[in-house]
Amino acid sequence: MKETAVVIMAAGKGKRMKSDLPKVLHNLAGKPILNYVLDTINHFEVKRKIIIVGYKSEKIRELIGDKIEYAEQKEQLGTAHAVLQTKELLSDFKGNVLILSGDVPFLTVKILKRLLKYHQSNNFCCTLISAILKNPQGYGRIIRDKEGKMEGIIEEVDLPVDKKLITEINTGIYCFDKEKLFQALEKIVPENKQGEYYLTDLVKILLKEGLEVGSIIAKDNSEILGINTQLDLANASKKVYQRMIQKLMFQGVSIIDPNSTFIEPGVKIGQDTIIYPFTIIEKGTKIGKSCLIGPYSHLIDANIGNGVKIWASIIEGSTVKERVNIGPYAHLRPETIVKKGAKIGNFVELKKTILGEGSKASHLTYLGDAVIGKQVNIGAGTITCNYNGQKKNKTVIEEGVFIGSNNSLVAPVKLGKGSYTGAGSTITEDVPPDSLAIARSKQRNIKGWSKRRKRT
Ligand code: UD1
Ligand code: CA
């Protein structure tokens, strides 16, 4: 087997996306489009990996780092011009050049292996992957003669009317013999409606020279899907979500409405957990068994134990242990840990806080930079005043504390084990264990006041 160099074309802006972000960096169900291609080639043994960058190349370099070689295409003059930019990098290389597009994300290792094998065993100078699509719009079409021999590729915009019905398309994935590739690239001229150097013109050039060009047909059309517009992106995302939802359902997760549920690849969910509609679960979230999640919940990088209930809430970068009850309308911000059997109710926000086993914050509360022990009751409207405008300070609430409603806990402050605070208190000093702290002005009743007011 000859050696293989992979070249990924990713220099274009993606004009049809109508966006300032390079097309290949658009988010496809949790990761940039380009990362799908990179993940595939990481499972594929190749001698060299090169990516062609151009439009906002610094953004792509920042994302990928130095695990790949870069070729810079300063002006985006077309796919042939793009590949030509790898000439110098590949000057010492001998073997096959596998050309991929950064905007064709679902390609599998299996089909690439099939392509290479077919290319090699037939000794072609170029082999491409084609596909038969019901709706071929937007793709270059494969032109064949009456005997089915390939004659060339015509881009959608240059297609004469009588060829519009051709359903065999070019997927933009090719394997070339390196020497032949670069010799033929020099011969391409930008004579087409877009005035671009088309890589697809290579087919005609090579055939003219009497060389053989082969093709294999993709068996699964979703694999070769190219993303050019925001609509293509949304359709591709849908495919990823649907695939993920199906996988989870086969593992015993109940998903009430797959159409309104969005779960990113890599998320893990235990058996008998029910996911209610309008729920989004992102980035490496793990959920245990027998949980009830949603409706209207958004989990990002969350670690959820068994038997947890989450209703209409947002959880980011937090750990929630078994049998915790959350929501509706709670927000757990990063570095929060909620321990076994605790309860977080309506309009409660936690940030960088540990809430102990069996503790409750049931209504209208903000707990930030707090360490809260077991069996603590946080009254409605309690606020940790953790920020003095300069620095974040810590609140410590020990086991069994009872905080009355509408308290302000001015950090740094510590409430000792088993202590109580009166409703409406502003706690500025530590409270010793087992004591009651009342920190509010005493009520004064002025008798007959309202009657006197009415008379004047
Ligand atoms: C290309 C093919 C078309 C095929 C389709 C499959 C050509 C001329 N056409 O069309 O036959 O059906 O893919 O998806 O090749 N790029 C560069 N530099 C450039 C231009 C493009 O790096 O100067 C990159 C883009 O960033 C993109 C890839 O090449 O990742 C393909 O370019 P795109 O403009 O999307 O080509 P299509 O019109 O889809
Ligand atoms: Ca494309």
Side-chain angles (χ1 to χ4, degrees):
M1 198 84 171
K2 279 189 202 161
E3 284 189 316
T4 305
V6 171
V7 169
I8 304 169
M9 298 183 288
K13 177 178 193 246
K15 282 181 223 122
R16 287 162 283 182
M17 292 297 276
K18 307 270 164 66
S19 155
D20 282 343
L21 189 69
K23 173 168 66 180
V24 295
L25 293 190
H26 277 262
N27 181 6
L28 169 53
K31 62 180 180 189
I33 298 170
L34 181 60
N35 283 43
Y36 285 81
V37 183
L38 295 172
D39 288 352
T40 302
I41 64 162
N42 279 343
H43 290 101
F44 192 65
E45 223 161 279
V46 289
K47 181 84 179 164
R48 304 276 295 271
K49 290 179 198 168
I50 301 171
I51 182 162
I52 305 160
V53 291
Y55 176 73
K56 294 200 175 168
S57 64
E58 69 290 348
K59 278 201 176 330
I60 296 177
R61 285 171 191 264
E62 198 183 307
L63 173 82
I64 307 172
D66 55 11
K67 53 181 184 259
I68 198 161
E69 295 175 78
Y70 292 90
E72 194 86 31
Q73 185 194 21
K74 291 203 173 66
E75 256 184 298
Q76 284 74 59
L77 302 178
T79 42
H81 178 259
V83 175
L84 203 54
Q85 311 311 307
T86 64
K87 190 176 175 182
E88 227 168 274
L89 277 175
L90 290 173
S91 57
D92 295 333
F93 176 79
K94 282 194 176 61
N96 295 319
V97 179
L98 184 60
I99 297 182
L100 311 181
S101 264
D103 65 348
V104 180
F106 301 144
L107 213 62
T108 58
V109 171
K110 199 170 153 198
I111 196 168
L112 292 179
K113 281 193 173 152
R114 212 179 112 210
L115 172 68
L116 275 181
K117 202 168 155 201
Y118 189 70
H119 175 79
Q120 188 110 337
S121 55
N122 287 289
N123 223 2
F124 291 139
C125 68
C126 165
T127 310
L128 58 87
I129 306 179
S130 74
I132 312 288
L133 298 188
K134 269 203 203 101
N135 176 11
Q137 215 187 347
Y139 291 94
R141 308 292 208 284
I142 307 283
I143 311 296
R144 295 187 186 271
D145 66 11
K146 285 199 185 83
E147 275 81 54
K149 231 178 133 272
M150 206 188 307
E151 289 182 326
I153 300 171
I154 305 183
E155 288 307 295
E156 168 94 20
V157 286
D158 304 306
L159 211 59
V161 185
D162 65 317
K163 301 243 176 340
K164 287 237 193 273
L165 293 176
I166 296 175
T167 53
E168 189 184 5
I169 62 106
N170 169 33
T171 64
I173 312 300
Y174 326 78
C175 185
F176 283 96
D177 169 75
K178 184 224 144 177
E179 300 302 329
K180 299 281 174 358
L181 168 67
F182 287 101
Q183 277 166 23
L185 274 176
E186 307 280 357
K187 296 180 184 147
I188 288 182
V189 285
E191 276 162 14
N192 49 61
K193 282 211 178 113
Q194 303 195 92
E196 284 185 9
Y197 293 85
Y198 284 166
L199 190 59
T200 44
D201 284 349
L202 281 184
V203 173
K204 222 176 2 193
I205 293 172
L206 293 170
L207 289 171
K208 220 180 192 173
E209 290 177 12
L211 295 163
E212 275 197 282
V213 178
S215 66
I216 61 167
I217 297 183
K219 290 175 187 151
D220 174 2
N221 288 339
S222 62
E223 262 193 70
I224 55 85
L225 198 86
I227 296 178
N228 295 316
T229 64
Q230 300 278 0
L231 181 63
D232 294 338
L233 179 62
N235 286 335
S237 294
K238 195 161 192 175
K239 278 200 167 49
V240 178
Y241 291 128
Q242 276 172 347
R243 224 181 278 164
M244 188 60 195
I245 281 171
Q246 270 179 24
K247 183 176 146 194
L248 290 166
M249 290 198 288
F250 284 121
Q251 289 169 2
V253 179
S254 302
I255 294 168
I256 307 283
D257 179 21
N259 288 323
S260 66
T261 306
F262 305 89
I263 305 176
E264 286 182 2
V267 166
K268 292 200 166 58
I269 306 181
Q271 213 172 299
D272 289 315
T273 284
I274 304 175
I275 312 289
Y276 287 93
F278 307 105
T279 290
I280 303 168
I281 306 176
E282 289 184 46
K283 293 208 180 57
T285 292
K286 267 192 215 150
I287 300 173
K289 292 182 184 173
S290 304
C291 296
L292 301 179
I293 313 287
Y296 303 101
S297 290
H298 192 167
L299 277 59
I300 306 151
D301 188 25
N303 195 341
I304 312 290
N306 297 332
V308 169
K309 288 186 194 164
I310 299 170
W311 178 17
S313 293
I314 299 172
I315 301 187
E316 317 166 64
S318 297
T319 300
V320 175
K321 302 282 192 191
E322 58 262 43
R323 286 180 286 100
V324 166
N325 230 310
I326 297 177
Y329 315 115
H331 185 186
L332 270 58
R333 290 167 50 202
E335 294 182 57
T336 289
I337 302 171
V338 181
K339 296 201 177 161
K340 231 197 278 182
K343 179 173 186 255
I344 295 166
N346 309 255
F347 303 102
V348 173
E349 174 184 350
L350 271 71
K351 188 222 82 180
K352 216 174 177 180
T353 282
I354 301 172
L355 186 68
E357 227 176 282
S359 291
K360 291 180 182 159
S362 302
H363 334 263
L364 303 159
T365 286
Y366 170 59
L367 301 168
D369 303 296
V371 177
I372 301 164
K374 285 188 212 168
Q375 305 298 336
V376 167
N377 188 77
I378 310 270
T382 296
I383 305 290
T384 52
C385 310
N386 60 325
Y387 187 48
N388 59 10
Q390 282 173 331
K391 185 170 168 248
K392 302 275 162 68
N393 294 303
K394 199 167 161 183
T395 301
V396 177
I397 304 173
E398 291 184 341
E399 188 179 335
V401 167
F402 183 99
I403 299 184
S405 294
N406 201 30
N407 271 215
S408 299
L409 309 174
V410 182
V413 71
K414 181 172 169 183
L415 289 86
K417 194 171 165 183
S419 61
Y420 278 64
T421 67
S425 291
T426 297
I427 303 294
T428 52
E429 281 167 36
D430 289 357
V431 180
D434 299 317
S435 38
L436 167 67
I438 303 179
R440 61 174 191 240
S441 56
K442 211 166 175 177
Q443 184 171 330
R444 201 158 61 100
N445 292 335
I446 304 169
K447 287 206 175 126
W449 183 88
S450 52
K451 271 192 186 157
R452 284 202 298 277
R453 185 183 187 223
K454 273 177 207 151
R455 259 184 261 132
T456 55

